[in-house]
Amino acid sequence: MSVSVVKNPTSESVDAALNKPSGSGWIAHKFGGSSLANAERIRTVADIMRGRNDAGQVIVVSAMQGVTDALIELAHAAARNDGYWRHAWNALKKRHEDAARALLGAQARSEQDWLAERFAELADLLHALALLGSPAAEALELIQGLGEIFSSRIVAAHLNANGIEYALLDARDVLVVRHEDLGVAVDWDQSATKLAEWRVRHPQMRVVVSGFVARDVHNRITTLGRNGSDYSGAIFGALFHADEIHIWTDVDGVLSADPRLVPEAVLLPQLSYHEACELAYFGAKVIHPQTMAPAIARNIPVYIRNTFRPELTGTCISSKASIDSAVKGISTIPGLAIVNIEGAGMIGVPGTAQRVFGALRAAKVSVVMISQGSSEHSICCVVQEKQVDIAVHALDEEFIHELARGQLQSINATPSISVLAIVGDGMTGTPGVAARLFGTLARSGVNIRAIAQGASERNISVAIESGDAARALRAAHAGFYLSPQTISIGVVGPGQVGRAFLAQLAQVREHLLRTANLDLRLRAVASSASMLLDDASILPQEWRERLDAQGTPTDLTHFADHVLANHLPHAAIIDCSASSDVAEHYARWIGAGIHIVTPNKHAGSGPLARYKAIRAASSHGTRFRYEATVGAGLPIVQTLRDLLDTGDEIISIEGIFSGTLAYLFNRFDGSVPFSTLVQEARAAGYTEPDPRDDLNGRDVARKLVILAREMGLQMEVADVDVESLVPAELREVDGTEFLERLVEADESFATRFATAQAAGKKLRYVARLNAAGQAHVGLVELPDDHAFAHLRLTDNIVQFTTRRYRDNPLVVQGPGAGPDVTAAGVFADLLRIAATLGARV
Ligand code: ASP
Ligand code: MG
């Protein structure tokens, strides 16, 4: 490595090297172990760094992933004189040599030699430990910091091979620290002086620094504590007067909550130092607050970025309070306990709280949260569960007299507590934040044991039972981050209608989110054989591919449990199957709070007992909607419901509810035999594969039953008088034979047509129902001027004769079949449900 040497540094050159005003152009970058796990990743890091045009670049590196652990283990193994250490030493050596070889090509030789020497020294040291029988603290400090010495050397050599000169800074030569009670403190004066001297000899504007390592004031090699290289990043950022510090890791930045617990967690583009510290304290994997101290003191923004997605800007942590949303992050700390001190003796007695905390401090119990009611009747504090016995004992001792005299009633502990905290600068002075938190927790049945809010209003903490923690976290996150009209959606039966529904969803999802604040999240799709579940969401345009690739065997119970995600405000299942088995689940699903929307007629027209169970289950605001079961997307069920809801009385309902039969009789004018028309309609896809499923009238009867039940009539399909158009002798034969022999019925159809024509009438297949529950489905003769006599193609029509619409019935007419219009009917139902949930659709 080439190094420029300047002899006799003058004090001016030291100043010139260090006392740069801010806007110095230096940017500090810190890379963690996972970014440096192997040669390929180191190459990625180098590419990112070379690709930047930082005026000055300080690159602080961790050890390669896992190396610090391996070194510590190695030291202990050697001290135990465990023969294993030789093997581990070899493996570690090889790992570094391999990386150097892969990265350095021709130049590898000298670096290999260097590595070989360092590893030989390490081996000597380990031998010494084996003799001593225990790793001296100093030896351990030295050994565990070697990973950074190795990695920084390899990274610098690799970067150097490309023409631009990178100086290598061994932080042990510059950084001076003291180990204090509250952690590691930097001796800024000494460190700055040493750096200035170093800079005189190394004036390059590109510097690679070993993280984690330092020296103490006695000049002994030391480290900054486990995971200390972030701290190194901030320290060197400060020492170089950097304009920015970039902490490169393997996540996109800071998220609003732990994504393993909250799949909806979102990336936070901006955080204030305060917010980041609060979140870090509450267990969010940001960076340690101590890490940020040097940056905060000098007002240097810290970026958290993903090495594997360098195109993202990540999270910027700075002094700017961004108050675009009141709450930024939500997190939980598990493993706590509540200690409650109760007694009338505390009321108005000054100093009780002080004695409580004094006793706890003397017992070295750290207090996570404190809450005291203004009645002063009790003080409650939250401590680590593992310290709770010590805490209670210390308080018993402290208040031994008060307890004996009955001035204090009790000091007791509740284990298995978690604290949930919401954090955000924007909470300051914003009313309603606490209300929203308590509201969402209450709705998900989470009991709050204690509450605390600091006067900074930047944090509201609640103590809850640990068993409730995950649910509470999700509920709170939904309360602050999701649209309250977020619906978790599962689609069953992606056949023609299901597919059309998913296509429509893909088309309008974004629009609905933007304009109506309605967040429809497709999270599950199930065919009869396989299902796909996704915690976050399935892009509706990708469901097919993903179901094929990642599907698991369908289990509708599991499916429904997944759709009913307690971290999302609402859930709906869209059943586009034509299966009675699926309908069997409805009552339970609805009872559990899942809305159901379906074009499947089985529930509406199947066994009355099942229908009633479904209706009974849906009494708690959970909806069951099935507009598309009758006339596809035509608003037939809705119209009937509106008539009834507004107090009208139905006298009769008549309609043509089969597109197939409508088509056949629209075409049937005596010129072509009926059987030929059936064959043609079948070929055009207007009939079921077996046309008897249309001709037998049962499907029409089912629709009539659905409408009858909507009217409050207790009707079964068996109660409908149905005229089947399938000749009796052709009902049992197989499909092919039926199609061949349908000609046998041509004559009778021709006769019926001729009779009607002679009377000036038209033949139509009509369903009729009256208020008394008389229901008939069959072929009827209608006068030529009847509304049903002039339909187009496969149009459906329904005519409601009611008290209000007595002389001139209300008619709904239009295309009553086809996947697109059916799916649109399903979608409209879903949107109606969404509207009841508050969406502005
Ligand atoms: N390599 C050190 C450790 O694993 C420091 C770091 O990576 O931050 O603790
Ligand atoms: Mg309809």
Side-chain angles (χ1 to χ4, degrees), residues 626-638 821 825:
Y626 40 85
E627 176 62 78
T629 54
V630 183
L634 296 181
I636 293 174
V637 177
Q638 184 61 38
V821 290

Side-chain angles (χ1 to χ4, degrees), residues 666-813:
N666 288 342
R667 297 268 325 265
F668 190 40
D669 59 3
S671 65
V672 180
F674 190 73
S675 63
T676 311
L677 288 177
V678 171
Q679 303 273 14
E680 281 175 16
R682 181 167 182 274
Y686 289 160
T687 73
E688 295 294 326
D690 185 339
R692 284 176 292 188
D693 292 338
D694 299 302
L695 293 172
N696 66 19
R698 211 173 294 141
D699 192 53
V700 174
R702 286 206 193 102
K703 293 172 183 172
L704 198 60
V705 167
I706 290 171
L707 296 179
R709 288 180 181 174
E710 202 63 46
M711 281 169 60
L713 296 167
Q714 315 258 317
M715 190 180 285
E716 297 268 16
V717 172
D719 300 329
V720 183
D721 172 26
V722 184
E723 177 193 358
S724 171
L725 299 182
V726 184
E729 59 283 11
L730 296 185
R731 284 180 197 163
E732 305 302 331
V733 303
D734 75 27
T736 339
E737 186 180 344
F738 163 76
L739 287 172
E740 279 164 12
R741 288 181 52 197
L742 188 57
V743 284
E744 294 167 19
D746 280 343
E747 205 184 302
S748 103
F749 279 110
T751 314
R752 286 182 84 161
F753 177 78
T755 315
Q757 196 179 37
K761 305 255 173 94
K762 289 260 155 72
L763 281 183
R764 291 293 181 263
Y765 196 81
V766 171
R768 286 180 167 152
L769 169 71
N770 65 21
Q774 289 166 312
H776 172 84
V777 168
L779 206 51
V780 298
E781 294 181 357
L782 296 176
D784 194 46
D785 60 355
H786 192 280
F788 294 4
H790 301 280
L791 288 180
R792 293 189 312 137
L793 292 169
T794 59
D795 273 7
N796 280 199
I797 188 166
V798 61
Q799 172 171 301
F800 296 100
T801 306
T802 71
R803 187 163 44 75
R804 288 184 200 135
Y805 294 95
R806 181 190 285 274
D807 303 326
N808 190 7
L810 175 62
V811 171
V812 179
Q813 175 185 353

Side-chain angles (χ1 to χ4, degrees), residues 211-527:
F212 187 43
V213 292
R215 257 181 221 267
D216 67 13
V217 283
H218 309 295
N219 209 30
R220 286 178 305 219
I221 289 173
T222 188
T223 63
L224 305 185
R226 289 311 307 273
N227 305 313
S229 60
D230 282 348
Y231 192 23
S232 303
I235 293 169
F236 280 95
L239 285 172
F240 275 84
H241 302 276
D243 299 335
E244 296 168 7
I245 296 168
H246 295 225
I247 306 278
W248 295 85
T249 93
D250 52 8
V251 293
D252 289 347
V254 182
L255 299 181
S256 53
D258 183 342
R260 286 165 305 182
L261 296 172
V262 184
E264 285 67 37
V266 295
L267 182 72
L268 302 171
Q270 290 271 340
L271 280 178
S272 70
Y273 293 129
H274 289 303
E275 290 171 331
C277 289
E278 294 269 3
L279 279 175
Y281 177 69
F282 282 98
K285 270 210 150 189
V286 196
I287 36 177
H288 197 278
Q290 187 196 29
T291 303
M292 275 178 288
I296 297 174
R298 291 159 189 80
N299 201 3
I300 308 172
V302 177
Y303 291 81
I304 311 290
R305 307 187 58 174
N306 191 344
T307 310
F308 307 102
R309 298 176 72 189
E311 68 281 6
L312 303 180
T313 43
T315 299
C316 174
I317 305 172
S318 70
S319 58
K320 267 206 318 236
S322 57
I323 46 167
D324 38 311
S325 64
V327 172
K328 283 295 180 53
I330 307 178
S331 76
T332 48
I333 324 181
L336 304 174
I338 291 179
V339 175
N340 198 36
I341 303 129
E342 224 173 280
M346 289 190 296
I347 301 175
V349 180
T352 311
Q354 192 211 326
R355 283 176 62 197
V356 168
F357 297 113
L360 292 176
R361 192 185 51 222
K364 292 201 158 50
V365 172
S366 83
V367 178
V368 175
M369 184 180 130
I370 305 160
S371 131
Q372 175 181 338
S374 55
S375 74
E376 299 182 48
H377 185 262
S378 71
I379 295 180
C380 144
C381 50
V382 177
V383 301
Q384 296 291 338
E385 189 158 20
K386 54 180 190 290
Q387 293 192 309
V388 67
D389 290 338
I390 305 172
V392 171
H393 183 72
L395 293 170
D396 278 340
E397 298 264 282
E398 173 69 33
F399 292 102
I400 187 160
H401 299 301
E402 286 81 353
L403 284 164
R405 287 197 294 266
Q407 286 165 311
L408 284 190
Q409 271 82 56
S410 64
I411 295 175
N412 53 47
T414 314
S416 299
I417 293 293
S418 291
V419 166
L420 178 147
I422 59 174
V423 170
D425 291 337
M427 280 159 46
T428 315
T430 309
V433 177
R436 170 119 50 115
L437 174 65
F438 300 153
T440 49
L441 294 183
R443 273 193 300 285
S444 23
V446 174
N447 181 35
I448 299 174
R449 309 291 296 251
I451 301 166
Q453 171 180 318
S456 74
E457 299 184 43
R458 207 172 277 128
N459 172 326
I460 299 177
S461 302
V462 296
I464 55 181
E465 272 161 42
S466 288
D468 288 342
R471 191 154 39 100
L473 184 63
R474 290 172 166 199
H477 193 271
F480 287 102
Y481 273 94
L482 297 182
S483 153
Q485 294 91 43
T486 299
I487 309 182
S488 163
I489 290 179
V491 173
V492 183
Q496 283 202 46
V497 174
R499 275 201 291 272
F501 171 79
L502 289 165
Q504 291 171 8
L505 182 61
Q507 205 186 334
V508 298
R509 207 174 61 96
E510 288 291 322
H511 173 78
L512 288 171
L513 185 59
R514 243 181 311 109
T515 60
N517 202 20
L518 173 60
D519 189 349
L520 300 176
R521 296 197 179 194
L522 178 66
R523 297 179 62 254
V525 176
S527 70

